[in-house]
Amino acid sequence: HNAPVITRENILIHAPLHTIWKIQTDVEKWPAWQPNVVSVVKDTPGRLRPGSAFRWTTEGLNITSTVRQVDPGKRLAWGGPAQGITAVHVWTFTPTAHGVLVHTEESWTGDPVTANQAVLQTALDASLHNWVKNLKHEAESQAGK
């Protein structure tokens, strides 16, 4: 909550919760719908659960993420290091009368963040904005909306 870089995004997705959850948690398929994700390799087989780890490349960063929380269909959180940046990324999914409200927030700390806060804030803002837009498009396409 006190990180120098924090981004929050919300989006309403007109697709079933189980579809959105499946897309978001099938990390190895992220490159198919996230143009900025180059590769993802799960180090822990099976469904995501606390302690699961995966390595991925996006926006020129090689990231190792470890899942911290999984509340199926409700909340997902992971974090980890990438080139001196420590990130924490939380997702929540709330069914509404009009679809599913997806909320995400990510924080970055570390020396590179402190040294280049404005540039990295802009980069994270753009990254999360694109992520939720891409998630919405993929989920609504799969749902036939």
Side-chain angles (χ1 to χ4, degrees):
H1 292 284
N2 297 320
V5 168
I6 299 173
T7 297
R8 294 175 180 89
E9 281 279 339
N10 293 294
I11 199 161
L12 183 65
I13 301 178
H14 303 285
L17 175 58
H18 71 272
T19 300
I20 300 165
W21 182 260
K22 183 177 185 302
I23 292 166
Q24 184 63 20
T25 60
D26 192 352
V27 297
E28 290 176 306
K29 289 189 180 170
W30 286 353
W33 59 273
Q34 283 288 18
N36 294 331
V37 176
V38 176
S39 65
V40 181
V41 176
K42 283 172 67 177
D43 294 332
T44 310
R47 290 185 180 177
L48 294 184
R49 59 194 179 278
S52 294
F54 55 96
R55 291 173 284 122
W56 53 302
T57 303
T58 185
E59 310 277 347
L61 295 173
N62 296 311
I63 305 166
T64 299
S65 293
T66 302
V67 176
R68 303 293 182 206
Q69 296 177 332
V70 178
D71 187 354
K74 295 181 183 173
R75 183 178 170 92
L76 177 64
W78 65 73
Q83 283 103 308
I85 298 170
T86 299
V88 176
H89 199 161
V90 178
W91 294 84
T92 56
F93 306 84
T94 307
T96 73
H98 304 288
V100 176
L101 180 63
V102 176
H103 173 80
T104 187
E105 54 188 80
E106 185 169 357
S107 64
W108 286 359
T109 59
D111 290 340
V113 181
T114 304
N116 222 349
Q117 184 175 352
V119 169
L120 292 177
Q121 181 69 63
T122 300
L124 185 57
D125 289 349
S127 176
L128 287 191
H129 179 75
N130 288 333
W131 192 312
V132 297
K133 269 188 9 189
N134 292 335
L135 178 60
K136 176 180 177 71
H137 180 266
E138 182 67 15
E140 290 178 355
S141 293
Q142 286 190 22
K145 302 270 178 181

